[in-house]
């Protein structure tokens, strides 16, 4: 996988892509107009500045994805955490209720049950989405995506 290099000259690819009005999605390989592109942020490079104070300046680019692949890629990241969040809430509430009712009879049984069931579910909630959405969760090659016009050099992201 090739990474962005500040020393490499990308001017030829940039000028060829500036004329194009479409892009090829890096995940599914279908062509879409630029107006339908969803951007995913990636770091181009960092540089150290000494003035006004020592710090890093980080420059970002954006990969263009079709809306369908962008949603699937987002699901592969947010789905496990959503399952984990609700599972922990349900487990805590049921354990508290069981300890209030009868700690010796129900409390330890419920606690042990959640540990026995919750640990494999926790592991599976991360494994299943990554295997199902594997091709959407892979990282991208910048050199291949330049040929597909799937790199935006000056992106404007929704959350900024």
């Amino acid at each position: 996988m090739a990474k962005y290099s500040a020393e490499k000259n990308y001017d030829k690819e940039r000028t060829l892509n500036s004329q194009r009005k479409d892009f090829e999605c890096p995940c599914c390989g279908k062509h879409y107009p630029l107006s339908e592109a969803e951007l995913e942020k990636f770091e181009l490079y960092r540089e150290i500045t000494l003035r006004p104070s020592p710090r890093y300046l980080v420059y970002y680019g954006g990969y263009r994805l079709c809306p369908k692949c962008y949603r699937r890629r987002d699901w592969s990241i947010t789905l496990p955490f959503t399952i984990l969040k609700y599972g922990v809430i349900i487990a805590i509430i049921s354990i508290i209720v069981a300890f209030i009712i009868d700690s010796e009879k129900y409390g330890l049984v419920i606690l042990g049950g959640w540990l026995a069931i919750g640990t494999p579910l926790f592991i599976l909630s991360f494994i299943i989405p990554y295997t199902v959405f594997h091709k959407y969760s892979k990282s991208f090659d910048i050199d291949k995506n330049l040929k597909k016009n799937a790199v935006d050099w000056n992106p404007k992201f929704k959350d900024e």
Side-chain angles (χ1 to χ4, degrees), residues 7 15 17 21 53 66 91 96 100 103 111 118 120 127 143 147 150 152:
E7 290 81 28
T15 54
N17 288 338
K21 302 294 182 205
S53 63
C66 69
I96 290 172
I100 289 172
S103 64
L111 177 63
I127 292 174
D143 292 331
K147 295 173 186 163
D152 192 352

Side-chain angles (χ1 to χ4, degrees), residues 16-141:
L16 288 173
N17 288 338
S18 65
Q19 308 298 325
R20 293 179 61 183
K21 302 294 182 205
D22 68 331
F23 73 99
E24 184 180 337
C25 180
C27 292
C28 63
K30 296 178 183 174
H31 289 273
Y32 293 93
L34 288 177
S35 60
E36 293 183 17
E38 297 282 344
L39 295 176
E40 182 174 311
K41 184 189 289 189
F42 73 96
E43 184 178 314
L44 284 171
Y45 62 94
R46 296 174 182 233
E47 78 180 22
I48 299 173
T49 60
L50 299 174
R51 296 208 176 155
S53 63
R55 63 184 172 145
Y56 275 113
L57 279 179
V58 182
Y59 295 93
Y60 291 102
Y63 287 119
R64 293 182 180 117
L65 299 172
C66 69
K68 184 178 177 183
C69 293
Y70 183 77
R71 280 193 312 273
R72 285 186 180 166
R73 203 166 155 84
D74 188 42
W75 289 342
S76 68
I77 296 167
T78 58
L79 184 67
F81 290 112
T82 305
I83 292 171
L84 176 67
K85 180 173 59 175
Y86 289 120
V88 167
I89 291 170
I90 292 170
I92 289 172
I93 291 172
S94 65
I95 291 170
I96 290 172
V97 169
F99 270 99
I100 289 172
I101 293 172
D102 187 5
S103 64
E104 292 178 7
K105 188 174 182 183
Y106 299 114
L108 295 176
V109 173
I110 296 293
L111 177 63
W114 273 112
L115 289 175
I117 294 170
T119 305
L121 287 177
F122 171 71
I123 293 169
L124 288 176
S125 69
F126 284 95
I127 292 174
I128 291 172
Y130 283 118
T131 55
V132 170
F133 302 118
H134 173 70
K135 73 176 187 177
Y136 300 104
S137 63
K138 65 183 177 184
S139 56
F140 299 122
D141 186 355

